[in-house]
Amino acid sequence: MNSAKPASQLLSPHNVRDLLDSIEAFLFDCDGVIWKGDKLIDGVPETLDLLRSKGKKLVFVTNNSTKSRRQYAKKFQSLGISVNENEIFSSSFAAAMFLKVNSFPSEKKVYVIGGEGILEELQLAGFTGLGGPEDGKKIAEWKSDCLFEHDKSVGAVVVGLDPYINYYKLQYGTLCIRENPGCLFIATNRDAVGHMTDLQEWPGAGCMVAAICGSTQKEPVVVGKPSTFMMEFLLQKFDVPCSKMCMVGDRLDTDILFGQNSGCKTLLVFSGVTTESILQDPSNNIQPDYFTDKISDILKSLEHN
Amino acid sequence: MNSAKPASQLLSPHNVRDLLDSIEAFLFDCDGVIWKGDKLIDGVPETLDLLRSKGKKLVFVTNNSTKSRRQYAKKFQSLGISVNENEIFSSSFAAAMFLKVNSFPSEKKVYVIGGEGILEELQLAGFTGLGGPEDGKKIAEWKSDCLFEHDKSVGAVVVGLDPYINYYKLQYGTLCIRENPGCLFIATNRDAVGHMTDLQEWPGAGCMVAAICGSTQKEPVVVGKPSTFMMEFLLQKFDVPCSKMCMVGDRLDTDILFGQNSGCKTLLVFSGVTTESILQDPSNNIQPDYFTDKISDILKSLEHN
């Protein structure tokens, strides 16, 4: 046992007040915290309502890049939760903001291995995206005397979760990174797996990103959690210091690490990929401040107060 | 300059005799040495004929797993070169032999991300393969209340070069490795790219293997070059000590390293992925015994002798 490490506390009627009193903004991961696939996790709307009623700011910070902020706002709405686009920080948005912050030339193009959400955020930020869903049905064939052509003006390849990954996209992205001088390689995130459906986990963006690392032998810039890149934008938007933020997530290596890297308080929930035995395993060295089954335990703990 | 490292010699009329006199078996890589895609490299048939006429044993050791040994023999034949199946050591064969040597239970199944060649070698070795080309058109969809099922009797996942890689296969292989107790993860090889066509390079098995590493967060057993696993079979088949073998290849990190790991002499050719500037770059620490443009230089050097 590492005595230097502060022990995580189970969220309870005894400590929930301390948490609420010290926090002005709650940062929620979505998959495994708010929903699993298309199913809302028990007690989520009531919990968010309660936090809003107490004047807490709510922010949704998701590594899932398949949707844009606009598309996420629609998903929340379809699940009966009212969330504003400005409260959503997706890794698709982060990828576009990374290019903006780094003065990516607008005459250069961006090749996308991933979903429509990345293309939409790129467009909103004034960039020209290529690839994405429309390359999902393209076929790359090995033919003699035939060159697989790629656009030489591509200056960045953004790789995110892509359920339509294929050899065409892998070759296209690989050629851009290997052959276009200075071409950036940006990963929305490197999550190994995720609860894309309620019943099980599926390969995450970490799978597609690793594939491109494998073919290019280069490492990407990661803009999603646990990278703190998105925190700059959160701080710009909300006038709340990190010490008064609490990151709530289901993953130790992305959500909790992101919170800790940013100086936030952290709350781990077991409604996603992490179980209590993973948290308590001696091999785990990421300890959140608090842990509990699901976010509605905040509500339940207050009721027992 | 590292003076401890013996310098590589350019193959020339002055040293070609030493090479030929000291070597009883030549081990050739295929892609980038014998052919590029479906095109024979200049002077190959004459060079192989000459070596055979001098009583040299010829062996073809390829990391490309898309074909079985039988299919490779047919490819050689279609290019006008007579090669026996027994002279071919492909990584598809190596994967099957790895299972055999490790007494893989015949009632367990093997899931294949890769080509027909792996399935054929598995069958010849008495194993039941699943997946491969027939899963190339399958679609994995994220649906609520719907479980993506996988065969619980899969005891090994073999990953090789797969131009029909898709999310279905990635999810299937990931589930087997993560959920089937003791399931093996075998990589035919980890080549980043290869000359699948004459005009350019394409993502190699290293791309698909990395994708599965990314989703499972596990590392595979590699059976192809530079792993020396195949050398045991070469030694069994040919009564030649490694010191009298010369590995001829176009890749430093697979072919030349394989040769060096096995105690063979090594000859690097520039007819594939490696250029002379890569060889001479200070960051490269793999130095072959000899280097030259292409294998027919053996013939040319002898003529000038």
Side-chain angles (χ1 to χ4, degrees):
Chain A
M1 203 178 131
N2 186 342
S3 60
K5 219 184 288 166
S8 296
Q9 295 180 44
L10 175 66
L11 192 73
S12 73
H14 303 290
N15 59 23
V16 70
R17 280 257 162 253
D18 292 345
L19 177 67
L20 284 191
D21 291 346
S22 63
I23 296 303
E24 290 181 26
F26 282 87
L27 280 46
F28 290 100
D29 176 40
C30 297
D31 288 300
V33 178
I34 304 296
W35 55 62
K36 268 189 175 183
D38 287 327
K39 291 205 172 169
L40 213 51
I41 289 169
D42 274 356
V44 164
E46 304 87 310
T47 309
L48 300 182
D49 285 348
L50 172 98
L51 293 172
R52 285 204 200 272
S53 76
K54 293 196 175 288
K56 306 303 177 190
K57 286 172 176 146
L58 306 189
V59 185
F60 300 88
V61 186
T62 175
N63 265 357
N64 189 327
S65 62
T66 52
K67 293 184 171 63
S68 62
R69 286 167 305 158
R70 184 187 62 79
Q71 290 168 317
Y72 269 110
K74 274 181 79 174
K75 175 164 182 175
F76 274 102
Q77 202 169 20
S78 75
L79 292 170
I81 301 174
S82 170
V83 166
N84 190 291
E85 253 178 63
N86 291 325
E87 295 172 315
I88 299 167
F89 289 79
S90 61
S91 64
S92 51
F93 174 65
M97 288 305 103
F98 180 85
L99 293 171
K100 196 147 199 161
V101 164
N102 287 281
S103 310
F104 185 76
S106 58
E107 69 275 15
K108 290 253 184 190
K109 295 182 190 138
V110 183
Y111 186 73
V112 174
I113 296 179
E116 190 56 43
I118 301 173
L119 286 166
E120 190 171 317
E121 292 295 349
L122 287 172
Q123 196 185 11
L124 287 169
F127 299 116
T128 307
L130 286 181
E134 81 168 54
D135 283 359
K137 291 199 170 149
K138 292 189 184 161
I139 290 169
E141 278 185 301
W142 294 332
K143 280 190 204 154
S144 222
D145 293 323
C146 185
L147 198 69
F148 181 105
E149 304 268 7
H150 74 285
D151 191 325
K152 304 289 190 294
S153 70
V154 169
V157 175
V158 175
V159 184
L161 173 61
D162 193 341
Y164 302 101
I165 186 73
N166 62 20
Y167 199 59
Y168 180 95
K169 297 182 190 181
L170 292 168
Q171 168 69 335
Y172 205 106
T174 301
L175 284 176
C176 293
I177 294 170
R178 295 185 78 207
E179 300 188 2
N180 291 2
C183 182
L184 301 170
F185 172 17
I186 299 167
T188 60
N189 66 297
R190 300 196 75 162
D191 293 16
V193 290
H195 260 291
M196 319 313 176
T197 59
D198 49 339
L199 296 183
Q200 67 193 150
E201 292 173 285
W202 298 73
C207 178
M208 292 84 208
V209 171
I212 295 293
C213 293
S215 58
T216 61
Q217 304 198 283
K218 294 208 169 138
E219 286 296 307
V221 174
V222 180
V223 294
K225 298 172 285 185
S227 146
T228 58
F229 174 73
M230 267 198 277
M231 187 49 84
E232 294 177 39
F233 295 91
L234 281 161
L235 291 171
Q236 261 176 38
K237 189 95 48 179
F238 302 96
D239 189 24
V240 174
C242 290
S243 62
K244 295 200 167 179
M245 293 182 181
C246 179
M247 177 70 212
V248 185
D250 69 322
R251 282 173 191 275
L252 292 163
D253 60 349
T254 52
D255 301 319
I256 303 307
L257 199 55
F258 167 77
Q260 292 179 343
N261 288 344
S262 307
C264 304
K265 279 226 164 56
T266 55
L267 167 60
L268 177 74
V269 289
F270 298 133
S271 49
V273 300
T274 308
T275 58
E276 183 158 3
S277 67
I278 293 174
L279 171 67
Q280 307 293 3
D281 194 277
S283 70
N284 166 43
N285 52 17
I286 303 172
Q287 294 291 331
D289 296 302
Y290 301 95
F291 63 92
T292 193
D293 278 344
K294 49 188 188 298
I295 66 166
S296 60
D297 294 341
I298 297 175
L299 194 71
K300 213 172 64 185
S301 297
L302 277 173
E303 282 168 2
H304 288 89
N305 224 233
Chain B
M1 205 178 129
N2 185 343
S3 60
K5 222 184 288 168
S8 296
Q9 294 181 45
L10 174 67
L11 192 72
S12 73
H14 303 289
N15 58 23
V16 69
R17 280 256 161 252
D18 292 345
L19 177 67
L20 284 190
D21 290 348
S22 63
I23 296 303
E24 288 181 26
F26 282 88
L27 281 45
F28 290 101
D29 175 39
C30 297
D31 287 302
V33 177
I34 304 296
W35 55 62
K36 269 189 175 183
D38 286 327
K39 291 205 173 169
L40 213 52
I41 290 169
D42 273 357
V44 164
E46 305 86 310
T47 310
L48 299 182
D49 285 348
L50 171 98
L51 292 172
R52 284 201 199 273
S53 76
K54 293 195 174 287
K56 306 302 176 189
K57 286 171 177 147
L58 306 188
V59 184
F60 301 87
V61 186
T62 175
N63 265 357
N64 189 326
S65 62
T66 52
K67 293 184 171 63
S68 62
R69 286 166 304 159
R70 184 187 61 80
Q71 291 168 315
Y72 268 110
K74 274 181 79 175
K75 175 162 183 177
F76 274 102
Q77 204 169 17
S78 75
L79 293 169
I81 301 174
S82 170
V83 166
N84 189 292
E85 252 177 63
N86 291 325
E87 294 172 316
I88 299 167
F89 289 78
S90 60
S91 63
S92 51
F93 173 65
M97 288 305 103
F98 180 85
L99 293 171
K100 196 147 199 160
V101 164
N102 287 280
S103 309
F104 185 76
S106 59
E107 69 276 14
K108 291 252 183 189
K109 296 181 191 140
V110 183
Y111 186 72
V112 174
I113 296 179
E116 190 57 42
I118 301 173
L119 286 166
E120 190 170 316
E121 292 295 349
L122 287 172
Q123 197 185 11
L124 287 170
F127 299 116
T128 307
L130 285 180
E134 80 167 55
D135 283 359
K137 290 200 169 148
K138 292 190 184 161
I139 291 169
E141 278 184 301
W142 295 330
K143 279 191 204 156
S144 223
D145 293 323
C146 185
L147 198 69
F148 182 105
E149 304 268 7
H150 74 285
D151 191 324
K152 305 288 190 296
S153 70
V154 168
V157 174
V158 175
V159 184
L161 173 61
D162 192 341
Y164 302 102
I165 187 72
N166 61 21
Y167 199 60
Y168 180 95
K169 297 182 191 182
L170 292 169
Q171 167 70 333
Y172 205 106
T174 300
L175 284 176
C176 292
I177 294 170
R178 294 185 78 207
E179 300 188 1
N180 291 2
C183 183
L184 300 171
F185 171 18
I186 299 167
T188 59
N189 66 297
R190 300 196 73 162
D191 293 19
V193 290
H195 259 292
M196 318 312 175
T197 59
D198 49 338
L199 296 184
Q200 67 193 149
E201 291 174 285
W202 299 71
C207 178
M208 292 83 209
V209 171
I212 295 292
C213 293
S215 58
T216 62
Q217 304 198 282
K218 294 208 169 138
E219 285 296 307
V221 174
V222 179
V223 294
K225 298 172 282 185
S227 146
T228 58
F229 174 74
M230 267 198 276
M231 188 49 85
E232 293 176 39
F233 295 91
L234 280 160
L235 291 170
Q236 261 175 37
K237 190 93 53 179
F238 302 96
D239 189 25
V240 174
C242 290
S243 62
K244 295 200 167 178
M245 294 181 180
C246 179
M247 177 70 214
V248 185
D250 69 322
R251 282 173 190 275
L252 292 162
D253 60 349
T254 52
D255 301 320
I256 302 307
L257 199 54
F258 167 78
Q260 291 178 341
N261 288 344
S262 307
C264 303
K265 280 226 164 57
T266 55
L267 168 60
L268 177 74
V269 290
F270 298 132
S271 48
V273 301
T274 310
T275 58
E276 184 158 3
S277 67
I278 293 174
L279 171 67
Q280 308 293 2
D281 194 278
S283 70
N284 166 43
N285 52 18
I286 303 172
Q287 294 292 331
D289 296 301
Y290 301 94
F291 63 92
T292 193
D293 279 344
K294 50 187 187 300
I295 66 167
S296 59
D297 294 341
I298 297 175
L299 193 73
K300 213 172 64 185
S301 297
L302 277 172
E303 282 167 1
H304 289 89
N305 226 233

